[in-house]
């Protein structure tokens, strides 16, 4: 399905996303592959039970058979018999900066992926197609990191306190002012961990008697935050405005279950770029619905801040919209900025409320100063405050690389998902046997890729997920597409 929208009022340019369906025979072969794997899994479990094959995984002792079981045998079936076959494609340790190329520690297994051992050899200059280093700020250039080195010598590595006690430094204040200026909002607050920015702040914003409308493909951090809040959660189909509007309309008409009272708050949770699909949120339509039904909007820009928009200011800039249209702007520094942590930005009242009520502000240790300085360095570069146009060049280079790589894969006949401007490029593999084979063959050609399968994706939609960077050269992208 190729989805193009340009209605002249909400969208200022054509919005094109690809979600092409696989041919029927591919779906049949995919199910067949899982079926064969499952049959052999039962056979091997039978052999393990009778001592014909070594049992490598933890099991109950005979003396404990009358107790509540510690290990759920059937629940571990997938891990034991399917995941173990391809486990060597994950958790590969790298031993260099995760730039456009990295060095990989070679490891081998002698027992079919149950355990691994290192050979002591390093695989050098592997092309990195898996890190979220969108703007290439994950680097070790001495001149670039000069200010970070100075801050490290001045402040050390740790803060050893929370923001509300003795952990607020001048560096944090400087960073928060810069983030607010970068986003064009009144105020911002930064946190030491990107995942916790969602999981610890959503419960501070909503609670019992509130309604959360969540996109079905939202990240785990959003889902966890929503569950911890104890608010009612309802799911709408991915980027489907009819599904969202129906939920909003029903929420207004019927109110809370049983009591029929009006909801205290209705908040819509969406992401800027969806990290498994490579699709971009339909922000103009969602803002329109939010205003129509007087709901709040929480926008997670973890993958989109720095990665899209003419100057890297995320999906709000990408669609030419006003930041004030989004009630809660959330993002992370773990990707485009080559650092760690996250932020929440918006109205000053919102940020002041979080400074007092956020679990992350009250209990979590503050962001360490060298990390704060790295974010300041990258953000000033993007804004041109360092006296160069290097930041703008990086944003433009990322756009060029993204469109070039996606076009190459389309021309070669692959099924790839997502928006033409999204640097997250999922290439569909479908069949379970291809998951391991693809990653292994690519590594043989000195290319590091991330492969993803069930349960992180639907069972029939296994994929390789490429992440394009501004630091990739045209030659690197050509080598990857050729391989």
């Amino acid at each position: 399905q190729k989805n193009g929208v340009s209605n002249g009022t909400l969208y200022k340019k054509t919005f094109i996303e690809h979600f092409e369906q696989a041919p029927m025979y591919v779906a049949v072969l995919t199910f067949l592959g899982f079926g064969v794997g499952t049959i052999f899994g039962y056979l091997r479990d039978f052999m393990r039970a009778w001592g014909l094959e070594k049992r490598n995984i933890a099991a109950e002792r005979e003396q404990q058979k009358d107790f509540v079981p510690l290990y759920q045998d059937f629940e571990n079936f997938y891990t034991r018999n399917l995941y173990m076959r391809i486990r060597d494609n994950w958790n590969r340790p790298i031993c260099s900066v995760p730039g456009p190329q990295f060095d990989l520690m070679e490891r081998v297994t002698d027992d079919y992926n149950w355990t691994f051992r290192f050979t002591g050899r390093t695989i050098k200059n592997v092309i990195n197609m898996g890190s979220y280093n969108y703007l290439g700020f994950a680097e070790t250039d001495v001149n670039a990191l000069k200010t970070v080195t100075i801050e490290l010598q001045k402040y050390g590595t740790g803060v050893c306190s929370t923001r509300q006690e003795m952990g607020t430094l001048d560096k944090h204040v400087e960073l928060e002012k810069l983030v607010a200026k970068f986003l064009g909002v009144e105020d911002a607050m930064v946190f030491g961990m990107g995942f916790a920015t969602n999981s610890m702040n959503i419960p501070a914003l909503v609670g019992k008697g509130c309604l959360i409308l969540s996109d079905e493909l939202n990240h785990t951090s959003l889902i966890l935050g929503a569950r911890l809040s104890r608010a009612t959660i309802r799911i709408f189909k991915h980027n489907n405005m009819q599904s969202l509007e129906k939920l909003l309309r029903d929420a207004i008409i019927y109110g809370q279950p049983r009591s029929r009272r009006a909801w205290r708050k209705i908040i819509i949770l969406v992401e800027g770029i969806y990290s498994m699909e490579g699709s971009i949120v339909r922000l103009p339509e969602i803002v329109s619905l939010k205003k129509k039904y007087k709901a709040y909007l929480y926008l997670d820009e973890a993958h989109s801040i720095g990665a899209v928009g003419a100057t890297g200011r995320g999906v709000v800039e990408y669609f030419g919209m006003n930041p004030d249209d989004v009630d809660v702007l959330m993002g992370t520094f773990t990707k485009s900025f080559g650092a760690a942590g996250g932020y929440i930005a918006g109205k000053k009242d919102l940020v002041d409320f979080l400074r007092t009520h956020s679990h992350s502000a009250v209990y979590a240790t503050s962001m360490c100063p060298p990390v704060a300085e790295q974010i300041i360095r990258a953000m000033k570069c993007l804004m041109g405050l360092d006296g160069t146009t290097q930041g703008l060049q990086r944003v433009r280079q990322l756009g060029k690389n993204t469109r070039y790589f996606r076009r190459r894969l389309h021309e070669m006949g692959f099924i790839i998902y997502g928006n033409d401007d999204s640097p997250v490029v999922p290439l569909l593999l479908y069949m379970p046997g291809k998951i391991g084979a693809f990653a292994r063959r690519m590594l043989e050609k000195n290319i590091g890729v991330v492969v993803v399968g069930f349960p992180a994706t639907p069972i029939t939609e296994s994929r390789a997920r490429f992440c394009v960077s501004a630091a990739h050269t045209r030659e690197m992208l050509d080598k990857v597409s050729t391989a």
Side-chain angles (χ1 to χ4, degrees):
Q1 177 191 354
K2 188 175 178 181
N3 205 341
V5 178
S6 183
N7 57 18
T9 53
L10 289 176
Y11 291 86
K12 294 177 173 65
K13 60 179 177 179
T14 309
F15 183 82
I16 299 173
E17 296 202 333
H18 305 267
F19 291 99
E20 184 182 338
Q21 296 296 307
M24 180 60 77
Y25 78 89
V26 174
V28 171
L29 288 172
T30 301
F31 279 114
L32 194 63
F34 276 105
V36 171
T38 303
I39 290 166
F40 273 89
Y42 279 116
L43 178 63
R44 298 187 78 167
D45 274 359
F46 175 79
M47 291 169 72
R48 289 179 190 122
W50 286 91
L52 299 172
E53 183 181 325
K54 184 182 176 185
R55 185 192 289 268
N56 287 298
I57 206 159
E60 302 294 339
R61 290 184 297 168
E62 188 62 30
Q63 301 96 303
Q64 292 178 298
K65 66 179 189 297
D66 296 327
F67 289 81
V68 176
L70 285 171
Y71 307 106
Q72 301 296 328
D73 258 6
F74 185 74
E75 287 178 19
N76 291 328
F77 179 87
Y78 180 88
T79 305
R80 208 166 46 238
N81 297 301
L82 297 169
Y83 170 69
M84 276 298 165
R85 293 169 180 263
I86 53 176
R87 183 173 167 235
D88 56 304
N89 297 293
W90 291 280
N91 308 315
R92 290 173 174 153
I94 70 166
C95 48
S96 68
V97 65
Q101 293 180 309
F102 56 54
D103 299 337
L104 196 65
M105 294 170 71
E106 186 182 64
R107 61 180 188 175
V108 293
T109 179
D110 302 311
D111 53 6
Y112 304 101
N113 293 344
W114 286 96
T115 60
F116 296 98
R117 62 180 172 83
F118 295 109
T119 64
R121 195 172 78 89
T122 302
I123 306 169
K124 297 279 188 183
N125 298 323
V126 178
I127 296 176
N128 180 6
M129 295 303 296
S131 296
Y132 308 130
N133 182 27
Y134 298 129
L135 294 177
F137 280 117
E139 56 197 348
T140 49
D141 180 62
V142 176
N143 292 322
L145 296 176
K146 190 181 285 183
T147 58
V148 179
T149 309
I150 293 167
E151 298 307 318
L152 180 61
Q153 290 169 341
K154 181 180 176 183
Y155 293 95
T157 53
V159 180
C160 304
S161 186
T162 67
R163 287 296 302 271
Q164 284 201 3
E165 290 168 345
M166 295 175 71
T168 297
L169 307 179
D170 54 353
K171 271 288 141 198
H172 298 134
V173 177
E174 181 188 348
L175 175 56
E176 286 171 348
K177 285 179 179 174
L178 192 65
V179 170
K181 185 178 177 183
F182 179 66
L183 297 171
V185 293
E186 290 179 9
D187 203 357
M189 183 175 182
V190 298
F191 305 89
M193 181 181 176
F195 189 98
T197 306
N198 276 332
S199 60
M200 293 290 98
N201 285 299
I202 292 172
L205 296 172
V206 289
K208 225 171 177 182
C210 298
L211 175 65
I212 292 172
L213 302 179
S214 178
D215 189 291
E216 65 179 344
L217 296 181
N218 274 344
H219 189 259
T220 310
S221 58
L222 287 166
I223 295 166
L224 179 63
R227 286 175 178 168
L228 290 173
S229 72
R230 297 193 303 148
T232 302
I233 305 165
R234 289 183 185 150
I235 312 298
F236 62 91
K237 290 176 184 173
H238 175 56
N239 257 351
N240 187 315
M241 295 307 109
Q242 290 76 24
S243 173
L244 175 58
E245 184 163 20
K246 184 181 186 305
L247 289 176
L248 280 165
R249 196 186 300 116
D250 288 351
I252 300 297
I253 294 169
Y254 299 114
Q256 298 182 42
R258 292 192 296 276
S259 70
R260 298 302 177 200
R261 289 179 187 161
W263 294 99
R264 285 173 54 213
K265 288 178 201 165
I266 300 173
I267 189 165
I268 303 164
L269 298 188
V270 292
E271 291 187 53
I273 291 178
Y274 290 83
S275 59
M276 282 296 173
E277 309 300 309
S279 63
I280 294 177
V281 66
R282 292 174 175 270
L283 191 63
E285 293 172 73
I286 287 178
V287 167
S288 178
L289 287 175
K290 165 198 109 88
K291 289 178 176 177
K292 181 178 177 182
Y293 292 98
K294 295 181 171 55
Y296 295 98
L297 177 58
Y298 185 110
L299 174 63
D300 176 344
E301 290 222 73
H303 286 268
S304 55
I305 195 68
V308 293
T311 60
R313 284 168 166 83
V315 290
V316 176
E317 183 183 54
Y318 178 79
F319 289 109
M321 299 182 70
N322 188 337
D324 292 340
D325 288 336
V326 181
D327 301 285
V328 186
L329 284 159
M330 176 271 171
T332 61
F333 305 119
T334 54
K335 299 165 180 73
S336 294
F337 299 93
Y343 67 82
I344 283 188
K347 291 275 189 284
K348 192 172 188 311
D349 290 349
L350 165 80
V351 177
D352 285 345
F353 177 83
L354 288 177
R355 288 190 203 284
T356 313
H357 292 85
S358 167
H359 289 304
S360 200
V362 180
Y363 300 111
T365 304
S366 303
M367 179 186 286
C368 60
V371 169
E373 178 56 36
Q374 160 65 12
I375 301 161
I376 290 168
R377 171 184 88 85
M379 200 166 280
K380 281 183 174 177
C381 182
L382 271 180
M383 297 168 77
L385 296 177
D386 61 347
T388 71
T389 58
Q390 192 191 75
L392 198 57
Q393 286 167 15
R394 288 183 190 233
V395 173
R396 287 174 180 169
Q397 188 60 46
L398 175 63
K400 285 178 188 173
N401 286 353
T402 295
R403 287 184 286 275
Y404 175 74
F405 190 61
R406 280 182 167 272
R407 189 173 70 248
R408 278 295 302 268
L409 294 180
H410 271 303
E411 287 167 357
M412 293 165 74
F414 290 107
I415 293 178
I416 63 171
Y417 278 0
N419 194 287
D420 284 353
D421 293 318
S422 166
V424 178
V425 187
L427 183 149
L428 276 289
L429 300 173
Y430 298 106
M431 298 171 208
K434 281 187 180 178
I435 300 173
F438 184 85
R440 290 177 196 131
R441 288 293 299 276
M442 291 296 268
L443 188 58
E444 285 171 18
K445 296 170 187 286
N446 252 40
I447 297 160
V449 300
V450 171
V451 283
V452 194
F454 179 81
T457 67
I459 199 162
T460 58
E461 292 182 19
S462 302
R463 64 196 68 178
R465 184 186 62 177
F466 299 108
C467 293
V468 182
S469 169
H472 286 135
T473 62
R474 188 62 61 92
E475 291 73 32
M476 287 177 188
L477 296 177
D478 284 341
K479 184 181 176 183
V480 172
S481 53
T482 303

